[in-house]
Every structure is written in C-alpha cells, then in structure tokens.
Amino acid sequence: MTIKLGILGLGTVGTGTVQLLQDVTGRNSLLKEVEIYRVGVRSLDKPRAVQLSDHILTTDLPAIVNDPEIDIVVELLGGLEPARTLILTAIKNGKHIVTANKAVISRFGAEIFDAANAAGVYVMLEAAVGGGIPVIQPLKQALSVNRINAVMGIVNGTTNYILTRMLHEGSDFNDVLADAQNLGYAEADPTADVDGLDAADKIAILASLGFNGRINREDVYCEGIRSVTKTDITYATKLGFVIKLLAIAKHLDDSNTQLSVRVHPTLVPESHPLASINGVYNAILVEGEPIGQVMLFGPGAGAGATASAVCADVLHLLAHLKINTAKTNPLLACRHQHYCKITPISEIVTRFYTRFLTKDQAGVIGKIGTCFGNYKVSLESIVQTGFEGEMAEIVVVTHDVREGNFRQALKEIAAMDTIHSIPSILRVL
Ligand code: HSE
C-alpha cells in the first residue's frame, strides 16, 4: 500500500521533509510506503536543494488539494492565506492534513477542526509547536490521563537565543538582534518572534490540548522581549534569576474553565528546570496530577528537526490508513523478528576514571603510565591527589579507549607489588 502526499511549500521545512522521505534507510520502514506525489511551490525556476521530477513540482496549489489521488496534504506554507483556504478545501475533499502552521491553527483552529470532524479526517500539527520536540502527541495521548495543572515553556528559539546572548555577553537587545539577523538566527522582520506573537500562537495550541477546550487567540496576553535591558539581566543574575520569554498556560480552578494563558519575559529562578534552556533550544514543562513535572526539550526549529515532526504525523496517518487493510495498527504491533547485534562490553570505546591506592614510592606513576601505554590506553590526566592513610591516591582519566585493552592493562597494574587496590573504576561520557 502506498500513501500519496501532496506537499504545499518547499521552503526550509518542506525541503527537510522531502529530504527525510527520500532517505528512509534506518528509519521506520513504514515510510517506504509514502510517495511524494505532488509538491506545490510559488516558482518553478528557483534553485532547489532537493531533486524532484518535473511532473511532481507544480505552482498550481489548488490542483493539489483537489487531486483525488492524494491522501494527505502536508501544508508547509505558513501564514494565514492561502494556507487556511487550501486546508479547508483539502478537508472538504476528504484528505487528512499535516501542518506546521501555528498561526493558522491558533486563529482558525475551530473552523478547521469542525470541518475535519465533519469530513471524518484528521488534522495533525506536531510540527506547529516546538519544532522537532514531540509535544502535541504526548499532550493528546500519554500525558492526557493526568489532570494538567500547567503547561509552560520556552517555545521561541529566536528570543531565547537573543536573551541567552544578552546574558552571556552583557549586550543590549538591539545589538544582539542585529547580529542574530546577520547570522540568520533572526528573521529580517523579527516582529512575530521578538514581540511574542509566535510564542502566543504556540501556547494557545498547547493550552487547548492541555485543558481540553478552545482558546480564543485574542485572549492570550502577549508581551515580547524588546523592553528587556542588560541592566535588568544583571540585576536578575545578582538575585539568582535568569530572564526568559515564557509562554504559560495554567488553570485557576479544578474544572479547567478558568485559565491564565500568557506570554511575557519572566524572571525564572536559576534552579528551575527552564532556567538552563539556552540558545535556540525550546523546552515545554508539563505539570500534571499524578505525574508531577515532565519536561520535553529539544530543537524548536530547523529543517531536519521540524521535518521529523512532520513525518511523524505522516507516519501516524499512514498507520491509520493501513488499519483497514492490515487489520492491526502497525504502530502498536511489533513489526520485527530479527535480533540486533549487541557489541560485547569489551569492544566498546569509552573514557575511564580510575582511582588507585598505591605505595608512596618513586616511579609508581611512571609504571602505571607505561603499562597503559603498552595496551594503547592513552591518558588524559594522571594526578596524585593526596593520601588515604599510608597510601598515595592516584587518579587517572583516559582518552577514549577500547574497554578490553583498558581492562587488560588494569589487570597487569593491579598485580604490581606497589599497587594496594583500585577502589573505583567509572566510565566517563
Ligand atoms: N521562529 C520560531 C522560533 C521557529 O524562533 O522559534 C518557528 O516556529
């Protein structure tokens, strides 16, 4: 069985998605059943990073959503129109949707999901929030058995990058923004990111899933990071805080009817899990009962990461479409019989930390070093750290070594009459 995709848009995420689907070795084997059938683009003349046959590329986007051959429309255009109209037409034509478009879902979600329910199709949006971080599916499924108290996070990489650099360099917002634009980390028009609009779209979606209700996007309070100064960052540091642009959704009563949904710069205690999320990374912290806190962390944007989320949604739809013919859900069923080859521990390559207790005599460190050298164990450091009783304490950290070689050397060292014992042997990452 082959599932035919109509992809709308061949920008960063579209290109990443095509690349992933054209190179499926080592990935879920179900992806071999996905065919890139049509790809809609604005211009046929633009140079592309992916190879697609001429008959696949088209500038006629409505033709894709009206093509009876296509099972799934993957909307990667971004923006409100024509994305909304194309999604609604595809749904009317009985096609499932995969989208990365937080703006259209946060503003027109009610219309789109009503249409999808009426047509009996699904709208999948893993890529709309948190880039490659699986957060939509966990909120809809695994975490949904909990009573959710709060969903909060750092859901905009551009602003997190700017705030991280302001903190580390002591720089002003405008200087870092200009540099981030030069480096391609911030858009030429940074409004959606720095004014918090992108984060507000995303928290509206997360709140809706966490609290099982529709969120009016206009009700989401939104304050960006333009007003954050290096002076505030310095004071926050002195007080034990870091400043982060947090997107927060909390329930204020047990029935989930009263929510607080907001985006604003926030002083976060240094010990809080979100305080250590730096650079372009995103993280979403879910607090629920009885699970407690779960934090999902990863790359919030980028071609490959977002393509991972897009293709995960395609995979889920593919499994759904296959259930009728396969009679089982291929994502729930065990699909393999062969045993993987596991390398014996003696063959692994790792670093080691080892602590020796030895006689305090001349030449001990030399003998240890020579023996390691004989077995091709290269040392990163070897120090005498002090004494434990009568014994000298010597600590060794190796470079990456084959464990078997390290153990042989250690056996020989342990037999030396100057060595009292080897109390600790730990692997170093
Ligand atoms: N512009 C977003 C960010 C990525 O900076 O995180 C796409 O959602």
Side-chain angles (χ1 to χ4, degrees), residues 51-128:
Q51 295 250 311
L52 289 163
S53 320
D54 288 347
H55 70 272
I56 292 179
L57 280 176
T58 176
T59 54
D60 189 352
L61 273 48
I64 292 182
V65 295
N66 286 306
D67 188 331
E69 287 293 314
I70 287 174
D71 303 290
I72 301 171
V73 166
V74 181
E75 185 275 306
L76 304 174
L77 299 166
L80 299 182
E81 287 292 356
R84 171 182 156 272
T85 304
L86 290 166
I87 289 172
L88 288 169
T89 309
I91 289 172
K92 196 156 61 71
N93 289 329
K95 298 179 195 318
H96 298 285
I97 306 293
V98 173
T99 180
N101 192 332
K102 59 238 134 204
V104 89
I105 292 294
S106 64
R107 285 169 184 77
F108 298 108
E111 183 185 26
I112 289 169
F113 287 109
D114 281 349
N117 288 343
V121 297
Y122 295 115
V123 177
M124 310 289 282
L125 58 146
E126 189 60 73

Side-chain angles (χ1 to χ4, degrees), residues 13 100 102 127-131 155-160 185-187 192-193 198 202 280-282 300-302 306:
V13 180
K102 59 238 134 204
V129 183
V155 290
N156 184 268
T158 305
T159 44
N160 203 42
Y185 285 111
E187 304 277 346
D193 293 317
D198 173 81
K202 291 168 177 169
V280 293
Y281 283 96
N282 283 194
T306 313

